[in-house]
Amino acid sequence: MLVHTISEVREKVREWKKQGLTVGLVPTMGALHAGHKSLIDKSVEKCDKTVVSVFVNPIQFCPGEDLDKYPRTLDADEKLCNEAGVDIVFAPSPKEMYGEGHIMSNDFLTYVIPPFFYVNKLCGKSRVGHFDGVCTVVNKLFNIVQPDFAFFGEKDRQQLIILKKMVNDLNIPIEIISCPIVREESGLALSSRNKYLSEEDKKDALALSKILFNIKACYNKGVTDCNALTETAYSYLNQKHSLEYLEFRDENDLEEKKTADDGTIVFIALKIGEVRLIDNISLRA
Ligand code: PAF
């Protein structure tokens, strides 16, 4: 069932709660792929009812980013959700979410601001304000749907860690369930932004997963010095790649690691032309 208004979702969820049913929320920006499908499947399996939100959230895009060209495929998204057993697809307009006049600057809108230590690194460094927009919209979706469980992918690992922190710090009574990255057979992590890649770019994009898999293989052989592990990456890069970061950080609080251990996540961001791709891997076996 496709729903565009907050009041309709609220009414439905209220009925479910009266019947004692559990509710899962899968927040998305649409352009659904097998990665999203894995979150949806998990929710459908775990919860009595599942809501998938499809909302390209303007306030998490920085100036000059791809807000206007971000893929919007609501018909296909709705079909995928129906086939997967989703109960509600919630696809609000920006006006429905942020009100008349679309006044979305923080001069006028109450924002949820995650801690500086969590956002001043990795993607937060180049995407200033991005995680403020993410936390704000996810908080709104939590308040609108009031789910018992919310499902997020490990592909956006910094986002996942920040959202767990938000739920903890703000005592939000929702359990966050994290779901593993889904990869193409080639190793490429699925992402809605892969739609921007030509066949040629896709080959270049394999550098991300190759670098991460190789670092993990070296770690498994006993190399723990992060500088030495970083060195192994360069042979996978060519002139088309612009490496934004390759960093080793703690899986819970994003503290930098000099020596890798099982609780380390290796994060990478790479630009191929105009397309910016991210990936990460846990060094845990
Ligand atoms: O991961 C995403 O697709 C978005 O950041 C999210 C969590 C749906 C918030 O807009």
Side-chain angles (χ1 to χ4, degrees), residues 221-250:
K221 281 189 196 142
V223 185
T224 57
D225 177 63
C226 293
N227 283 332
L229 289 167
T230 303
E231 294 278 302
T232 68
Y234 295 107
S235 62
Y236 294 95
L237 298 175
N238 64 33
Q239 319 86 296
K240 286 209 221 144
H241 295 128
S242 156
L243 182 64
E244 186 178 304
Y245 60 72
L246 174 63
E247 294 184 24
F248 294 74
R249 295 201 171 264
D250 181 80

Side-chain angles (χ1 to χ4, degrees), residues 27-29 57 60 134 137-138 152 156 159:
T28 81
M29 297 208 299
N57 174 34
Q60 72 183 73
V134 170
V137 80
V138 169
F152 294 91
D156 295 308
Q159 166 175 285

Side-chain angles (χ1 to χ4, degrees), residues 176-236:
I176 291 201
I177 311 282
S178 55
C179 305
I181 296 174
V182 178
R183 297 181 183 281
E184 287 185 2
E185 220 168 293
S186 64
L188 181 66
L190 297 192
S191 160
S192 304
R193 289 190 168 95
N194 290 354
K195 289 202 162 85
Y196 300 149
L197 297 170
S198 67
E199 280 310 308
E200 202 53 37
D201 292 342
K202 266 190 142 185
K203 285 186 201 141
D204 288 312
L206 294 183
L208 289 108
S209 54
K210 281 187 177 158
I211 287 170
L212 295 179
F213 294 160
N214 187 48
I215 287 176
K216 185 156 177 163
C218 293
Y219 173 75
N220 287 341
K221 281 189 196 142
V223 185
T224 57
D225 177 63
C226 293
N227 283 332
L229 289 167
T230 303
E231 294 278 302
T232 68
Y234 295 107
S235 62
Y236 294 95

